[in-house]
Amino acid sequence: MLSNPAQKYRAFAPVKLTDRTWPDAQITRPPVWCSVDLRDGNQALIEPMNVERKLRMFKTLVDIGFKEIEIGFPSASQIEFDFARKLIEDNLIPDDVTVQVLTQAREHLVRRTFEALKGARRAIVHLYNATAPVMRKVVLGMSEDEIVELAASNARLFQQIAAEHPETEWVFEYSPEMYSDTELAFSKRVVDAVTDVWQPTPEKKCIINLPTTVEHCTPNIFADMIEWSHRHLKRRDSIILSVHPHNDRGTGTATAELALMAGADRLEGCLFGNGERTGNLDIVNVALNMYSQGVHPQLDFSNIDEIKRTVEYCNQLPVHPRHPYVGELVYTSFSGSHQDAIKKAFAAYREGDIWDMPYLPIDPKDVGRSYEAVIRVNSQSGKGGISYLLESEYKVTLPRKLQIEFSQVVQRHMDSEGAEFTAKDIWEIFHNEYRLGESAPVYQLGGDGAATTIEAKIARHGQVAVVAGKGSGPIDAFISALSVATGKDVRVLDYAEHAIGAGADASAMAYVEVEVDGQRAWGAGENPNIVSASIAAILSGLERAGVDFGALAGRRDAAATAAV
């Protein structure tokens, strides 16, 4: 990093809107929502959605309650074009839902875009061209007049083609791309030129979309930009003022909320903030922020876990466990003091009371979740939640690397059964996976002080093998015995242990990571004696690494015994 970043980067200039009104505004009603998951979000995927995933996402967006859904960029690829045709020809678009498509300001792309919408009942066609100085000078090599004419001429083309298809109710949308980096006076000039062509009315409005294509300024400056545009654009009463925030500075949600306070009517974004670079606006975040302030967003997130599963499947990207409102850990407190405060507040809470709960901004039940997440996990739970359950309910504290391994084991069970697992379920999986029910090994230790010897009887699956070895301690001696008996290179890579309980009822849990001819696996053992627990853990790990103790049945290795 530069010692003086000002040599390379410049601060974003403020608008100096001295009579701004947005700081005192409140959001009292939801905006017009437009999901761009199927276009902007889809373009940002490592592997773009196929038609099956697109259909699943579209149905989910409809079920949530979106009335405007951007379905693609039909001129970009055949699959985008075909998806639009499928929705229209198979009559998959509900009557109260308007689909939206995007096109660059290029005639052949505009014509292809309208062709994709042939027969649609109602559609938004979204035109954009770049307006920022860097795009004008470096990328496009166009003057301000040429940029204005580019936008206006394509606006006229929109009108011409739309007139040829009166069977569709057309809604026009225009974006001065990189509005957030464009001089306000010039962005007004371009937008006014477009509305001069379209001549929107209060009865038939157009959409003017002002994107933070790249976040360069703080949210308060963008709010000033929106309030300035809200005041100065021609035909404001005939415009639906939309914003399309990105999240390069990590402030997309704040940018959207302040933009609404500054006069915006409409928000474009994605579920959980998917999109190019750091993503688009997270519509779920903004919607549930409103909900937590007593404003219904008119979107239904009653089953937010199912929505998350769909989004993760369609996008093939995970949702972060700390993601607001939906992350697997956001309604779970690991701190004992937090848990105590929440439990006491729940005990005092009565149905119908105003929600005033420590550490929980909304009632998890409103989105299909529960504070029982502290002691239960579902198919989205990670190693933190699983290990916490074992620790809180069974006093079992897994090493971090074992947490990672065991969470994958649990995930396989959950994928198979598709149900929420209780702490008891998790314990049973752990118990079975790590062979805690196997009989304790019988062994005899010896030695002369310089070395430890061991002779151990291994009983597994109704068969018995006897092994013997020598080492610097009981564990080293047992590993040596197993290496000789199996003919494999057996090593211990990591070890941890702790007590369970106290006094006469105390027991020991041991955890061992073993490597057998390069194959790594964790084992676990429980026994009142720590050495016995450790030996059981080693056997558990070797079985999980693929060692067949049946092949050793009835065997006493003569060389090893002689060595002892």
Side-chain angles (χ1 to χ4, degrees), residues 286-302:
V286 177
L288 291 177
N289 282 355
M290 291 182 190
Y291 183 82
S292 72
Q293 301 296 301
V295 178
H296 199 294
Q298 301 305 309
L299 297 174
D300 185 3
F301 297 109
S302 297

Side-chain angles (χ1 to χ4, degrees), residues 177-191:
E177 190 196 14
M178 296 187 75
Y179 162 84
S180 52
D181 290 296
T182 302
E183 311 94 327
L184 285 173
F186 183 63
S187 66
K188 168 181 162 53
R189 182 185 169 195
V190 179
V191 169

Side-chain angles (χ1 to χ4, degrees), residues 203-219:
E203 294 70 38
K204 186 173 176 55
K205 297 183 179 184
C206 72
I207 301 169
I208 297 300
N209 186 58
L210 306 177
T212 53
T213 308
V214 180
E215 269 198 325
H216 281 147
C217 66
T218 52

Side-chain angles (χ1 to χ4, degrees), residues 413 426-437 544:
H413 284 269
I426 299 295
W427 171 249
E428 288 178 356
I429 294 171
F430 183 79
H431 191 275
N432 295 332
E433 177 70 21
Y434 294 92
R435 283 80 166 173
L436 295 184
R544 297 187 68 253

Side-chain angles (χ1 to χ4, degrees), residues 333-347 357-359 371 374 388:
S333 293
F334 292 95
S335 163
S337 61
H338 287 199
Q339 296 161 17
D340 182 64
I342 292 169
K343 289 175 182 177
K344 288 177 179 176
F346 266 119
M357 193 68 59
Y359 309 114
Y371 189 65
V374 170
Y388 176 77

Side-chain angles (χ1 to χ4, degrees), residues 265-326:
D265 309 305
R266 181 178 185 265
L267 293 180
E268 293 187 347
C270 292
L271 299 176
F272 311 126
N274 181 45
E276 295 281 13
R277 305 181 309 277
T278 55
N280 291 298
L281 168 68
D282 179 358
I283 284 183
V284 182
N285 198 347
V286 177
L288 291 177
N289 282 355
M290 291 182 190
Y291 183 82
S292 72
Q293 301 296 301
V295 178
H296 199 294
Q298 301 305 309
L299 297 174
D300 185 3
F301 297 109
S302 297
N303 191 350
I304 203 165
D305 280 341
E306 178 60 32
I307 294 169
K308 180 174 74 165
R309 282 190 286 270
T310 295
V311 170
E312 290 182 322
Y313 169 75
C314 293
N315 290 343
Q316 301 181 73
L317 292 172
V319 174
H320 195 280
R322 299 294 184 189
H323 201 98
Y325 298 109
V326 68

Side-chain angles (χ1 to χ4, degrees), residues 441-444 453-458 464-470 477-486 535 539 542 549 552-558 560-561 564:
V442 177
Y443 60 91
Q444 183 174 352
T453 61
I454 189 169
E455 182 171 304
K457 184 184 294 184
I458 301 171
V464 177
V466 179
V467 299
K470 180 187 295 185
F478 190 55
I479 290 295
S480 175
L482 292 171
S483 296
V484 172
T486 62
I535 289 174
L539 295 178
L542 261 64
F549 286 107
L552 304 178
R555 172 180 174 180
R556 177 192 294 268
D557 192 283
T561 303
V564 173

